[in-house]
Amino acid sequence: MKTKYPFINLEYSEVSQDEMIERSECFYRKMRERRTVRDLSNKIVPMSIIENVIATAGTAPSGANMQPWQFIVVTNSVLKNKIRVEAEKEEKEFYEHRASQEWLDALAPLATDQDKPFLEVAPILIVIFLKKFSYTSEGKRLKNYYTSESVGIATGLLITALHNAGLVTLTHTPSPMKFLNTLLDRPKEERPYMIVVAGYPAQNAEVPDIVKRDISDILTLID
Ligand code: IYR
């Protein structure tokens, strides 16, 4: 049994309701501009931004505060090329054999395919691994809890922080992604969760003209 953490006073300063409304509207306006961008430029991104956004992701809540995530930042061209080659192999298999017709039909409007040039062009790949176990300083293995929920929340914060910083992202999930353990030398109990590709948009980048469901459609209020 672990000893209880000492409890400390919460740092919290209440703001007025008007201020809260203003802030929530303002943040919604900001987040509404976020788009998944597949046309990325190779313009370099300062590493301090990447450190800040990963630190932000690391503030996410997690099951028993186990923080079951690891963020691997890849900037090296040779490694990015290897990731692209391996991801494209998986994607070719997906588009030509593994995906059901229903899945291909759902994807068709987005015009995605097995070519993933952004994995090589973008200055930054953040490869997120989900850790099923943690290790104490004595090397004792501890189980982590609610790992996909926890890593999902952290990834959401990461994408939000990158958008807030003024960069664009692409969430990429080649499947299966086991090749990432080999290329990035991660232990087998870490599961590749997602690649967040980050950078500036290419000049004249285009995005599909999709819309998000209206609030009236996604919100059910039970009084
Ligand atoms: N992983 C593939 C396929 C893909 C699947 C879904 I669901 C998407 O929203 C987008 C792509 C690919 O990256 O092309």
Side-chain angles (χ1 to χ4, degrees):
M1 226 347 221
K2 275 206 283 187
T3 49
K4 202 172 126 187
Y5 292 112
F7 275 61
I8 53 175
N9 285 330
L10 172 70
E11 271 179 46
Y12 176 83
S13 43
E14 188 171 324
V15 294
S16 72
Q17 287 194 1
D18 283 350
E19 173 72 18
M20 282 190 200
I21 292 166
E22 170 61 24
R23 285 190 197 182
S24 60
E25 283 173 358
C26 182
F27 193 63
Y28 170 49
R29 277 199 298 278
K30 175 90 200 153
M31 289 314 295
R32 185 160 84 170
E33 290 165 5
R34 187 204 58 78
R35 295 299 313 261
T36 289
V37 178
R38 289 189 164 75
D39 291 339
L40 286 127
S41 107
N42 61 1
K43 187 171 168 181
I44 298 295
V45 170
M47 199 44 67
S48 61
I49 300 174
I50 301 307
E51 285 174 10
N52 287 337
V53 297
I54 291 176
T56 303
T59 68
S62 63
N65 193 36
M66 295 304 242
Q67 308 171 56
W69 42 66
Q70 196 69 34
F71 301 90
I72 313 298
V73 175
V74 181
T75 56
N76 177 281
S77 307
V78 176
L79 197 46
K80 283 193 294 179
N81 169 265
K82 286 184 181 164
I83 292 175
R84 175 184 180 179
V85 168
E86 291 303 314
E88 286 182 341
K89 270 192 222 159
E90 300 294 1
E91 296 297 356
K92 185 166 162 42
E93 196 49 32
F94 170 83
Y95 283 97
E96 291 179 0
H97 304 290
R98 246 176 331 103
S100 63
Q101 194 53 48
E102 185 178 355
W103 195 341
L104 291 174
D105 290 348
L107 273 176
L110 296 171
T112 58
D113 60 28
Q114 65 204 43
D115 294 332
K116 304 297 174 194
F118 47 76
L119 290 174
E120 224 177 329
V121 172
I124 309 275
L125 308 182
I126 304 175
V127 186
I128 304 156
F129 282 85
L130 176 157
K131 297 161 81 157
K132 293 301 279 179
F133 301 96
S134 294
Y135 290 88
T136 63
S137 44
E138 297 86 49
K140 186 169 174 257
R141 191 165 102 152
L142 299 173
K143 193 171 155 23
N144 290 334
Y145 302 96
Y146 294 102
T147 49
S148 38
E149 292 84 347
S150 306
V151 181
I153 297 169
T155 303
L157 290 183
L158 179 69
I159 294 164
T160 306
L162 283 160
H163 175 66
N164 178 59
L167 295 169
V168 297
T169 55
L170 165 63
T171 40
H172 182 48
T173 50
S175 163
M177 295 191 268
K178 266 289 164 201
F179 67 86
L180 290 168
N181 287 71
T182 315
L183 289 179
L184 302 176
D185 199 21
R186 300 308 304 175
K188 65 176 185 318
E189 67 248 41
E190 289 187 10
R191 175 162 74 73
Y193 182 81
M194 194 175 286
I195 304 177
V196 173
V197 184
Y200 292 84
Q203 258 186 3
N204 308 318
E206 291 190 340
V207 290
D209 188 12
I210 54 173
V211 284
K212 296 295 180 188
R213 282 161 62 191
D214 190 75
I215 179 74
S216 61
D217 193 24
I218 62 171
L219 168 71
T220 304
L221 189 59
I222 300 178
D223 207 359

